[in-house]
Amino acid sequence: MGATFIDINPRTPLRKQLEEKPEAGSCVLVNTFHIPPGKMDEAFIAWKIDADLAKKQPGFILTQLHRGINGSDMMLNYAVWESTAALKAYYDLPEFQASLENYPDGTECRIALYRKEHVNGVCLA
């Protein structure tokens, strides 16, 4: 069974976000994982398999994994891709689809895509 994707924005599900035109530029993927109790080490191993595969794909820029604090059963992946098209191509790979089975049964993934926003005097785009 492995990992299950749960859309966190029903009005704009992940598949719709992935349909954006490539010329829109780079995107940031934020994936919050809810890991079954006692399965964090297994989840880290599964995530590394995914990350190693992603690093070999055209359009991949970087990724960083974060672990919840003080016994939290959450982990968060932050990844940057050159375009939503590059990310979609990765998600469509049979190897990626198969790798989802490496996650502990009951793992939930809540994914959304973002783009940097310029806010004058605070954030640079």
Side-chain angles (χ1 to χ4, degrees):
M1 189 164 153
T4 302
F5 286 14
I6 299 171
D7 276 316
I8 61 173
N9 185 348
R11 288 179 288 154
T12 314
L14 179 61
R15 281 288 165 189
K16 183 175 180 181
Q17 293 176 51
L18 289 169
E19 293 170 2
E20 183 186 53
K21 295 178 178 155
E23 60 270 14
S26 65
C27 67
V28 175
L29 169 145
V30 176
N31 183 358
T32 303
F33 297 83
H34 183 217
I35 308 300
K39 301 293 184 175
M40 189 63 76
D41 289 341
E42 289 177 43
F44 284 149
I45 292 167
W47 180 85
K48 184 167 184 332
I49 292 168
D50 287 347
D52 286 341
L53 179 61
K55 286 172 31 179
K56 298 174 187 170
Q57 304 311 309
F60 173 83
I61 297 174
L62 66 88
T63 191
Q64 179 66 54
L65 185 66
H66 304 266
R67 182 180 189 154
I69 295 174
N70 200 21
S72 169
D73 59 0
M74 304 292 288
M75 58 187 218
L76 181 136
N77 175 47
Y78 174 95
V80 181
W81 288 81
E82 287 180 1
S83 68
T84 55
L87 177 58
K88 183 181 183 308
Y90 168 64
Y91 276 172
D92 289 344
L93 288 173
E95 299 91 339
F96 171 74
Q97 293 298 317
S99 76
L100 297 175
E101 297 299 320
N102 295 321
Y103 286 89
D105 287 347
T107 299
E108 296 176 353
C109 303
R110 291 169 175 83
I111 302 170
L113 304 181
Y114 301 89
R115 183 160 287 107
K116 282 196 249 180
E117 186 67 29
H118 176 79
V119 177
N120 196 24
V122 181
C123 303
L124 301 176

